[in-house]
Amino acid sequence: MILDIHVTGVVQGVGFRPFIYRLAKSHNLKGCVMNLGDAGVKITVQGKKEDVYRFIENIKKKTPPLAKIEEIKVEEKRREEVFVDFSIMQSKHEKESAGSIIPSDIGICDDCMRELFDPIDRRYLYFFITCTNCGPRFTIINSIPYDRERTSMASFKMCSECGEEYTNPANRRFHAQTVACHSCGPQVFLTDKRGVSLSNSSIDALEKASKLLAEGNILAVKGNGGFHIACSVEDDEIILRLRGLLGREQQPFAIMARDFETVKRFAHVSEEEGKLLTSPVKPIVVVKKREEYDKFISKQVSPKLHTIGVMLPYTGLHALLFQWNKLNVLIMTSANKPGYPMVVDNEEAQKKLSPMVDYLLMHDRDIVQRCDDSVISFMGGKKTFLRRSRGYVPLPITLKNRFKDPVFATGPDTDVTFCILTNSQAFLSQHIGDTSHYETIEFFKKAFQHFQSLLDVKLSIVTCDLHPRFATTLFAEQLSQEKNIPLIHIQHHHAHLASLLGEHNKEEMICVTADGFGYGKDGNAWGGEILLGGFSGYKRVGHLQLQPLVGGDLAAVYPLRVAAGILGDDAMDFLMQNKKTFPHGEEEITLIFKQLKNKQYIYTTSCGRILDAVAAILGICYKRTYEGEPARKLEAAAYMGKDVLQIEPVIKGNTLDTSIIISKVFEYRDKYSLRDLAYSAEEYVAKGLVDLAVEYAEQEDIRCIGFSGGCAYNAHILTRIRSIVEKAGFEFLQHEKVPPGDGGVSFGQALIAANMLDR
Ligand SMILES: [Zn+2]
Ligand SMILES: [Zn+2]
Ligand SMILES: [Zn+2]
């Protein structure tokens, strides 16, 4: 019999054709296999009926580790075609079925790592060593079907030895599109700040770079998805210099450790954290510092936090940075100012990064798609994305329902990702950043074009935030006009709720949505909301007390302004004592109280602002220099604390009183330890939010309560909310597939719009 088999899912660039080739041979089948232009794979097999069916069974059973099968469609052929053998055929551009996507980048595998350091291997110390099981994919692919000529490897012609491996079915690099070696593949080179070349070979460049790092230099390092800035973690002075140059006063830097053993020496690593660190994705995992941490790593790397984001070398190049020095850990931070896109090309690097670094380590292969490192933290034992990017993008999130009309959701303003939802899959983009910057929204538009062409979808609807001035809102409006498709504005916290529902395939819940800011339906700044709802709508059933935000956005940067707004004249002396923390000192403070008196301010229900205010009153953080800084430092300060204030949540109607906790913290600021006060404040907020949610859930007989928004990154608040919800007999939902923060908002927007169209 002859069968045509269509396989959809992640089946290109993961060794799927070689797998099919070997499997067909072992089942005595003849025929062929090829990649298609829709990212799927088509197989034709000829053989005995029982062999053919066992073959199909085994496609499912023995799928290669990186492949993900969405669907296998089988069609019997009557034609009298005769195959003499089984072969891998040239790819076809034709598109036959939707539902497939190219794979994400995959960290260096153990086999390649072994060869990299094996002196007799022909790829000994070759920085771009890869195979069918590892290497870049998303970041090198221009278009599909996935073949070398449509990747940024196109300009590197395989040498005869690589060609032999590529065509040998028994070889690990059989049909590996990124196959390359010292003689035919990409080369790496080192330059100084002015662009003067300092190396005469790849190994020479890496050896010099490795030594320069040990000598205390700052290097720009081109990786697979963009440039990093690397330097030693030991010297305060170097790190402070880097902070100044990057404009990152306090934001923690991610680090890369030589190996897993090293990580365990300075951090507590649970079994699941260890598994994730060493998994094929090799993401940044946020782990808790050990007491010994300070012996290895400068306090300036992750100041005033109890955690550190760490990753392992995920390319040959990274591993080689440790080869000619004794460094155990390097700072490895993406090369960009906060919120801006990471630098990806050599010329741009020379221009933009030269002022910040001493040397540049670059290679001659282009980066097609920029992709930041993913960042993951375990929250109450569950894997939680702070950033879902390298290693996960563009893999889809599978939905319970199928939607016939493709949706494009543009996300919010900061920490943006976008989402294209088609059929039963939601494709979230890589981390884009803060779209209020021109460069970032340009990156957004380019990435959108790329996704659209990879997925080959015709959009039916576009959706964006309710905020009228977000760059993503303006882009959505423009797109809606150009394509003549409807546009829907979605309230920020409703999108948070929908993203959590969508992850768990639920229809309705009560969601505690707590974050820094979302444009409210009433025009106020929301951020501490209890919403009851589903995809088709929501009801705001509770919220934090409205508090004055004196100076609007300034209050988010200088949280003592929030404290002043809540405490009123009582805080005057205190602010004066801390006048140095205000850019304009006394004058500014006088103005704040004048504005307060004249009621010149907007209101907010933001939970983030309350936590910020506590951090400022306790002297933990007076100025926000990165997203969430005061609240994150508050959490670090509260770690292992106890509830000394023991204040029962004060709820009036559907509003949680937040003035009381601020004034109590203020009153007792010199009486109890900072740690216990910080803990008590978080405890109050957690209990208050969950009390509102539980009360309403009982009243309305809703069985499910969730927690979304940026405040869900606070492990103390999250675990407290969860334990109360579960104790009260409800099901608790938290994010596991998309970020609880604004990186997950586009997913929620897309689901709301898709459900609307479906009706
Ligand atoms: Zn490999
Ligand atoms: Zn070669
Ligand atoms: Zn948010």
Side-chain angles (χ1 to χ4, degrees):
M1 73 186 308
I2 298 185
L3 286 187
D4 273 352
I5 304 166
H6 275 97
V7 189
T8 58
V10 183
V11 287
Q12 294 190 10
V14 287
F16 199 74
R17 286 177 301 175
F19 155 71
I20 291 297
Y21 175 92
R22 291 183 198 115
L23 194 66
K25 287 262 181 191
S26 73
H27 288 77
N28 304 311
L29 300 177
K30 289 166 182 162
C32 61
V33 56
M34 69 178 81
N35 280 347
L36 296 178
D38 56 22
V41 164
K42 183 179 171 183
I43 309 162
T44 304
V45 281
Q46 177 187 26
K48 283 193 211 141
K49 196 172 173 180
E50 61 267 30
D51 287 337
V52 169
Y53 281 103
R54 261 196 303 126
F55 167 77
I56 295 172
E57 250 339 278
N58 280 327
I59 294 179
K60 290 178 220 161
K61 272 193 199 148
K62 297 182 177 172
T63 311
L66 300 171
K68 196 175 163 276
I69 294 176
E70 185 69 23
E71 198 179 8
I72 301 181
K73 271 192 238 161
V74 180
E75 213 182 319
E76 188 155 1
K77 287 281 150 189
R78 293 235 177 77
R79 62 172 185 248
E80 283 305 310
E81 209 168 335
V82 181
F83 292 95
V84 288
D85 203 350
F86 194 91
S87 56
I88 295 182
M89 303 277 281
Q90 189 161 19
S91 303
K92 281 197 177 154
H93 285 274
E94 62 195 66
K95 297 170 181 179
E96 300 192 358
S97 25
S100 293
I101 188 71
I102 56 167
S104 57
D105 284 14
I106 303 139
I108 184 169
C109 73
D110 293 346
D111 290 329
C112 285
M113 196 65 119
R114 208 163 26 243
E115 289 171 356
L116 180 66
F117 294 111
D118 176 1
I120 57 162
D121 192 274
R122 66 184 202 89
R123 289 189 183 81
Y124 177 53
L125 305 183
Y126 180 54
F127 84 102
F128 193 65
I129 184 169
T130 65
C131 70
T132 355
N133 302 320
C134 75
R137 301 287 187 273
F138 173 66
T139 56
I140 60 164
I141 295 175
N142 281 305
S143 61
I144 40 183
Y146 174 53
D147 285 304
R148 193 170 176 114
E149 69 252 36
R150 281 173 292 277
T151 71
S152 63
M153 288 300 288
S155 53
F156 302 96
K157 199 175 172 303
M158 260 182 244
C159 69
S160 60
E161 276 175 288
C162 285
E164 225 160 83
E165 292 171 313
Y166 184 85
T167 48
N168 174 5
N171 195 285
R172 198 171 88 250
R173 296 191 172 86
F174 180 45
H175 275 267
Q177 306 303 333
T178 51
V179 65
C181 71
H182 283 293
S183 62
C184 70
Q187 301 296 316
V188 54
F189 52 94
L190 182 76
T191 75
D192 68 8
K193 289 162 82 84
R194 289 156 306 168
V196 177
S197 172
L198 300 173
S199 58
N200 52 40
S201 72
S202 284
I203 292 186
D204 183 43
L206 285 155
E207 182 173 348
K208 283 182 175 144
S210 181
K211 288 176 176 163
L212 286 167
L213 285 167
E215 287 162 14
N217 292 287
I218 300 177
L219 269 72
V221 177
K222 187 179 184 181
N224 284 348
F227 274 79
H228 282 101
I229 291 183
C231 68
S232 146
V233 293
E234 286 159 26
D235 192 332
D236 286 2
E237 229 170 274
I238 302 169
I239 299 164
L240 288 173
R241 178 158 74 97
L242 180 62
R243 289 202 170 282
L245 292 166
L246 273 175
R248 286 174 58 168
E249 284 177 44
Q250 292 282 304
Q251 193 175 6
F253 288 128
I255 56 175
M256 182 176 276
R258 176 183 283 273
D259 51 32
F260 185 43
E261 289 311 306
T262 305
V263 182
K264 288 191 279 189
R265 268 185 266 152
F266 62 78
H268 296 284
V269 185
S270 70
E271 198 187 324
E272 49 208 348
E273 286 164 344
K275 264 193 204 153
L276 190 60
L277 263 172
T278 54
S279 69
V281 172
K282 297 189 165 66
I284 296 173
V285 180
V286 179
V287 288
K288 289 201 183 70
K289 296 173 182 173
R290 270 185 193 282
E291 251 169 56
E292 298 86 338
Y293 173 89
D294 289 345
K295 276 190 242 157
F296 294 87
I297 296 166
S298 154
K299 280 195 169 64
Q300 301 301 333
V301 173
S302 149
K304 287 197 185 177
L305 297 179
H306 63 309
T307 55
I308 177 82
V310 58
M311 61 183 147
L312 294 174
Y314 60 86
T315 68
L317 184 144
H318 295 146
L320 292 171
L321 290 178
F322 294 95
Q323 176 67 4
W324 292 273
N325 59 36
K326 292 207 156 53
L327 297 174
N328 284 315
V329 188
L330 285 171
I331 283 185
M332 209 54 164
T333 185
S334 54
N336 54 274
K337 297 225 168 184
Y340 284 85
M342 192 168 32
V343 171
V344 286
D345 82 41
N346 293 356
E347 242 173 75
E348 192 193 0
Q350 204 78 55
K351 215 163 57 193
K352 285 192 177 160
L353 300 179
S354 287
M356 303 182 200
V357 301
D358 304 311
Y359 300 91
L360 295 98
L361 184 69
M362 298 186 272
H363 56 71
D364 54 358
R365 185 182 58 72
D366 288 340
I367 294 171
V368 175
Q369 272 297 300
R370 176 185 287 113
C371 198
D372 283 78
D373 295 318
S374 291
V375 187
I376 296 168
S377 172
F378 280 85
M379 305 279 305
K382 299 248 162 87
K383 191 173 115 184
T384 308
F385 284 98
L386 280 87
R387 177 185 293 165
R388 183 183 181 275
S389 211
R390 173 180 59 78
Y392 297 94
V393 171
L395 306 182
I397 290 156
T398 304
L399 311 168
K400 186 179 67 175
N401 299 325
R402 258 192 133 76
F403 300 96
K404 60 179 195 304
D405 300 303
V407 178
F408 172 50
T410 61
D413 187 41
T414 48
D415 236 342
V416 168
T417 65
F418 60 76
C419 176
I420 294 179
L421 189 156
T422 170
N423 292 314
S424 57
Q425 296 181 311
F427 296 91
L428 270 86
S429 74
Q430 69 267 51
H431 167 74
I432 304 280
D434 180 349
T435 50
S436 65
H437 304 302
Y438 173 76
E439 285 101 322
T440 314
I441 190 76
E442 286 304 303
F443 165 37
F444 177 100
K445 291 175 189 171
K446 274 193 201 141
F448 164 60
Q449 293 301 344
H450 187 66
F451 264 75
Q452 220 189 345
S453 79
L454 284 180
L455 294 168
D456 192 36
V457 287
K458 193 172 173 290
L459 300 171
S460 300
I461 192 166
V462 54
T463 149
C464 62
D465 199 275
L466 199 58
H467 197 295
R469 288 183 309 279
F470 282 173
T472 48
T473 304
L474 301 177
F475 178 64
E477 283 165 356
Q478 187 193 338
L479 195 75
S480 148
Q481 277 184 354
E482 273 170 24
K483 294 196 185 274
N484 197 20
I485 50 174
L487 168 71
I488 306 175
H489 295 268
I490 291 164
Q491 202 281 324
H492 186 85
H493 301 97
H494 184 206
H496 272 304
L497 173 146
S499 77
L500 187 54
L501 276 181
E503 266 192 38
H504 293 275
N505 287 321
K506 299 270 182 191
E507 294 296 325
E508 189 186 46
M509 72 165 148
I510 288 192
C511 190
V512 176
T513 44
D515 58 9
F517 166 74
Y519 192 81
K521 249 191 174 157
D522 54 7
N524 280 325
W526 289 10
E529 316 304 312
I530 314 295
L531 304 183
L532 161 64
F535 300 111
S536 58
Y538 71 95
K539 203 168 132 193
R540 188 188 189 205
V541 299
H543 54 81
L544 299 192
Q545 181 183 355
L546 277 168
Q547 298 286 12
L549 262 190
V550 190
D553 286 348
L554 267 183
V557 182
Y558 298 99
L560 270 185
R561 284 173 166 266
V562 184
I566 297 171
L567 295 166
D569 288 344
D570 292 353
M572 177 80 94
D573 291 345
F574 180 67
L575 259 65
M576 284 300 181
Q577 284 159 25
N578 290 294
K579 64 185 177 198
K580 280 198 186 122
T581 66
F582 291 88
H584 305 286
E586 265 185 57
E587 222 176 298
E588 187 175 341
I589 296 170
T590 314
L591 184 64
I592 290 172
F593 284 97
K594 202 173 137 202
Q595 286 175 322
L596 256 178
K597 209 170 146 199
N598 298 335
K599 295 202 182 301
Q600 288 170 293
Y601 46 74
I602 56 162
Y603 283 103
T604 186
T605 53
S606 165
C607 182
R609 294 298 87 84
I610 294 298
L611 298 172
D612 291 357
V614 175
I617 293 170
L618 295 177
I620 295 164
C621 180
Y622 295 112
K623 183 185 170 196
R624 186 194 72 184
T625 67
Y626 62 89
E627 199 58 40
E629 176 180 354
R632 280 187 70 181
K633 288 186 170 169
L634 182 74
E635 183 190 1
Y639 185 57
M640 308 285 269
K642 54 183 186 297
D643 186 4
V644 286
L645 294 181
Q646 299 262 357
I647 309 167
E648 278 309 306
V650 178
I651 293 171
K652 296 167 193 147
N654 64 355
T655 305
L656 173 69
D657 187 322
T658 48
S659 293
I660 182 169
I661 186 64
I662 296 294
S663 38
K664 289 288 176 198
V665 168
F666 184 65
E667 186 184 336
Y668 289 99
R669 68 188 185 281
D670 297 321
K671 194 163 175 234
Y672 292 116
S673 76
L674 190 149
R675 182 172 71 175
D676 291 343
L677 284 171
Y679 187 93
S680 305
E682 288 180 350
E683 188 77 8
Y684 179 85
V685 169
K687 283 197 300 196
L689 285 167
V690 75
D691 280 3
L692 276 169
V694 166
E695 195 190 309
Y696 206 82
E698 272 166 355
Q699 206 178 301
E700 298 290 313
D701 199 26
I702 307 286
R703 300 319 305 162
C704 196
I705 297 176
F707 186 22
S708 185
C711 295
Y713 289 126
N714 183 308
H716 170 203
I717 295 181
L718 179 113
T719 47
R720 176 61 69 245
I721 289 184
R722 181 171 76 185
S723 75
I724 297 175
V725 165
E726 287 175 348
K727 215 180 256 169
F730 296 90
E731 184 185 0
F732 178 72
L733 300 183
Q734 74 182 80
H735 287 278
E736 292 167 60
K737 294 178 185 159
V738 305
D742 286 359
V745 162
S746 62
F747 177 57
Q749 291 174 339
L751 282 163
I752 292 170
N755 277 280
M756 259 183 205
L757 277 185
D758 215 38
R759 246 145 268 253

